[in-house]
């Protein structure tokens, strides 16, 4: 009789956002009169429609697909040059970082890349993650059999190095001890879930650490468009030496509303080589070519439009709209006496839950009493206990309404 992959059997519970969706659905079934009132600030899903320049690019590409002379079949599996070149120029060269277009790998989104990147590292690679953390980094390593045993009491995996991010350290992870022997370090800034950011000096310290200890940083920069402070780095490649120790993952979901359109990319520089000189860029290209048939032509044309003058203007306006929501939520909840972090250079707000409640209890209380949905901090790791994450990606009305209802509690 066949057997399931035993690593998958180690996964505790459901994927966080599936669990939350199930709880909302169950609540709606139990309380059909209240289901329509639910304000969803849980998963970080955008709500504004695609910008006009992006829609025009999609329409144009669909028309091309409808004519024999301009039809496109399989996309190049690493991405069309027109998009890879636009990315290298606008996201890196314009910020003083040297990334060649053939070091950019276009994909169907940052989530897949975050989950898949671990495949090109050895089975015994030791990973380090922030706690709290976007669950995909850990879960994908659990599936790969890299994380050891799960402790149901602590909520920690035996073979993972956790870097606590708490109010005491300003939600900034500390460098792991040298004897932790980590080889794969996941960092995400602006941070999901805490909304914390990192200065260029702090990030440089991580790059120096990784180079010194022979580690790789997987840098998830999905939320870089939300940075307004000119002192904060948008890319890890703004730091000296990052080309020999860092992989960067980016998304079109949060800066341009592609959560339902699907587009992202990963940068693996040619200078990133393992202990034996193996090119990690070439390995990722090999993996991509084998397992992925390229993001759709029409979607890559839409991605290219994000970099046009009009596209930039329109997507910046969308980001400003969401950050307007963040300000409303931050100020409104602070007025109501809550301690709120994040939401300044990031679309996530990290709210300390009232004393004596766990984050899941507070989640239930908000849902039951005022029909507002957040994400319990404990779902992101043990150090997330005591917090609830709210997103700024809803409509203006939902931000105002959520604040009003929470204030009234
Ligand atoms: C989140 O809510 O953390 C994100 O939307 C999840 C994702 O981007 O996959």
């Amino acid at each position: 009789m066949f057997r399931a992959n035993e690593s998958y059997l180690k996964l505790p519970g459901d994927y966080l956002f599936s669990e939350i969706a199930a709880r909302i659905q169950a609540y709606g079934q139990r309380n059909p009169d209240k289901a329509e009132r639910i304000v969803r600030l849980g998963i970080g899903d955008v709500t504004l429609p695609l910008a006009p320049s992006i829609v025009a690019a999609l329409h144009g590409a669909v028309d091309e697909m409808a004519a024999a002379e301009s039809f496109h079949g399989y996309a190049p599996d690493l991405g069309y040059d027109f998009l890879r070149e636009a990315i290298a120029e606008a996201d890196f060269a314009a910020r003083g970082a040297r990334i060649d277009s053939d070091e950019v790998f276009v994909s169907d989104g940052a989530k897949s890349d975050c989950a898949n990147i671990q495949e090109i590292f050895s089975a015994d690679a030791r990973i380090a993650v922030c706690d709290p953390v976007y669950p995909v980094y850990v879960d994908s390593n659990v599936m790969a059999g890299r994380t050891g045993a799960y402790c149901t009491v602590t909520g920690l995996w035996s073979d993972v190095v956790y870097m606590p991010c708490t109010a005491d350290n300003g939600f900034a992870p500390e460098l792991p001890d040298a004897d932790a022997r980590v080889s794969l370090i996941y960092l995400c800034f602006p941070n999901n879930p805490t909304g914390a950011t990192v200065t260029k000096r702090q990030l440089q310290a991580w790059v120096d650490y990784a180079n010194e200890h022979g580690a790789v940083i997987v840098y998830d920069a999905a939320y870089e468009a939300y940075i307004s402070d000119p002192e904060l780095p948008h890319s890890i490649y703004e730091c000296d030496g990052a080309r020999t120790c860092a992989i960067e993952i980016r998304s079109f979901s949060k800066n341009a509303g592609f959560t339902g359109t699907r587009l992202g990319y990963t940068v693996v520089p040619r200078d990133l080589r393992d202990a034996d000189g193996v090119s990690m860029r070439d390995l990722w290209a090999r993996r991509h070519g084998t397992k992925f048939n390229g993001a759709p032509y029409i979607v890559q044309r839409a991605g290219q439009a994000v970099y046009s003058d009009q596209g930039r203007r329109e997507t910046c306006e969308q980001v400003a709209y969401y950050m307007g929501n963040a300000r409303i939520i931050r100020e409104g909840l602070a007025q109501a006496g809550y301690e709120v972090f994040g939401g300044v250079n990031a679309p996530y707000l990290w709210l300390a839950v009232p004393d004596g409640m766990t984050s899941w209890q507070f989640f239930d209380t908000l849902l039951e009493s005022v029909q507002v949905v957040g994400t319990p901090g404990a779902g992101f790791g043990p150090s997330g206990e005591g917090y609830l994450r709210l997103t700024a990606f809803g409509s203006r009305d939902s931000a105002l309404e959520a604040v009003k209802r929470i204030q009234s509690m």
Side-chain angles (χ1 to χ4, degrees):
M1 186 64 187
F2 67 87
R3 289 198 166 277
N5 181 333
E6 60 185 22
S7 296
Y8 277 62
L9 302 181
K10 289 185 180 178
L11 289 164
D14 287 329
Y15 180 58
L16 175 61
F17 295 104
S18 313
E19 163 75 25
I20 289 170
R23 287 193 185 214
I24 299 171
Q25 196 187 14
Y27 174 81
Q29 278 162 358
R30 282 196 316 273
N31 303 276
D33 53 321
K34 302 220 174 99
E36 294 221 333
R37 261 177 64 82
I38 296 175
V39 175
R40 292 162 200 267
L41 302 182
I43 191 163
D45 194 3
V46 294
T47 48
L48 290 174
L50 292 171
S53 55
I54 296 169
V55 174
L58 282 167
H59 282 162
V62 168
D63 287 344
E64 284 184 68
M65 294 295 275
E69 319 78 73
S70 50
F71 172 77
H72 287 77
Y74 288 127
D77 41 47
L78 308 184
Y80 281 102
D81 284 344
F82 62 76
L83 182 56
R84 299 171 91 192
E85 281 160 15
I87 289 169
E89 173 54 37
D91 288 346
F92 300 102
R95 299 201 66 82
R98 183 172 72 76
I99 292 297
D100 295 331
S101 61
D102 67 355
E103 298 171 321
V104 174
F105 298 89
V106 176
S107 73
D108 65 347
K111 181 179 182 180
S112 331
D113 286 354
C114 285
N116 293 330
I117 195 73
Q118 46 77 28
E119 287 183 24
I120 60 170
F121 293 91
S122 66
D124 64 353
R126 197 164 164 80
I127 70 160
V129 294
C130 292
D131 170 26
V133 68
Y134 178 45
V136 171
Y137 314 148
V138 177
D139 286 2
S140 56
N141 278 284
V142 174
M143 292 171 178
R146 208 177 263 127
T147 53
Y150 182 69
C151 173
T152 50
V153 179
T154 60
L156 301 175
W157 292 91
S158 60
D159 294 354
V160 173
V161 173
Y162 290 90
M163 306 179 290
C165 298
T166 62
D168 289 343
N169 62 15
F171 303 101
E174 273 147 41
L175 298 167
D177 290 339
D179 59 12
R181 289 175 296 102
V182 300
S183 37
L184 202 50
I185 302 168
Y186 289 83
L187 294 179
C188 171
F189 291 106
N191 188 256
N192 179 13
T194 65
T197 51
V198 73
T199 63
K200 189 162 167 193
R201 228 172 99 219
Q202 286 170 310
L203 192 55
Q204 184 66 55
W206 282 94
V207 168
D208 294 344
Y209 175 95
N211 276 323
E212 192 181 327
H213 294 89
V216 172
I217 297 170
V218 174
Y219 194 69
D220 179 352
Y223 301 96
E224 61 76 34
Y226 289 82
I227 295 173
S228 54
D229 181 341
E231 298 302 315
L232 300 178
H234 288 242
S235 164
I236 196 164
Y237 301 114
E238 291 173 46
C239 296
D240 293 335
R243 286 183 56 85
T244 51
C245 70
I247 289 171
E248 183 162 307
I249 298 176
R250 293 270 191 116
S251 171
F252 285 76
S253 289
K254 315 295 161 108
N255 63 333
F258 278 51
T259 53
T261 308
R262 307 309 307 151
L263 191 65
Y265 68 87
T266 287
V267 174
V268 189
R270 206 172 277 100
D271 303 348
L272 185 68
R273 291 180 179 273
D274 85 341
D276 299 317
V278 172
S279 160
M280 301 310 279
R281 183 226 166 260
D282 293 352
L283 273 195
W284 184 245
R286 181 70 173 85
R287 186 225 169 257
H288 222 52
T290 303
K291 296 199 175 185
F292 187 59
N293 248 342
Y297 174 74
I298 58 175
V299 175
Q300 294 196 52
R301 280 291 181 206
Q304 183 188 27
V306 173
Y307 295 101
S308 66
D309 289 345
Q310 191 192 341
R312 282 168 201 262
R313 235 183 358 262
E314 290 168 348
T315 52
C316 280
E317 278 166 20
Q318 296 190 336
V319 166
Y321 173 88
Y322 292 131
M323 287 313 288
N325 290 347
R327 205 190 60 245
I328 288 166
I329 299 171
R330 203 178 67 244
E331 292 177 356
L333 296 187
Q335 269 167 25
Y338 287 93
E339 200 178 4
V340 189
F341 302 92
V344 179
N345 289 287
Y348 292 123
L349 297 108
W350 195 236
L351 173 71
V353 310
D355 277 349
M357 272 194 193
T358 67
S359 60
W360 277 107
Q361 284 167 342
F362 190 53
F363 167 89
D364 286 334
T365 303
L366 282 185
L367 180 57
E368 301 276 342
S369 57
V370 290
Q371 292 78 49
V372 172
V373 173
T375 307
F380 297 101
S383 297
E385 185 52 276
Y387 293 91
L388 185 95
R389 193 194 74 175
L390 295 172
T391 94
F393 289 121
S395 65
R396 181 59 43 89
D397 284 351
S398 70
L400 290 165
E401 185 63 22
V403 167
K404 196 171 90 190
R405 292 194 205 169
I406 297 175
Q407 283 176 339
S408 75
M409 276 170 70

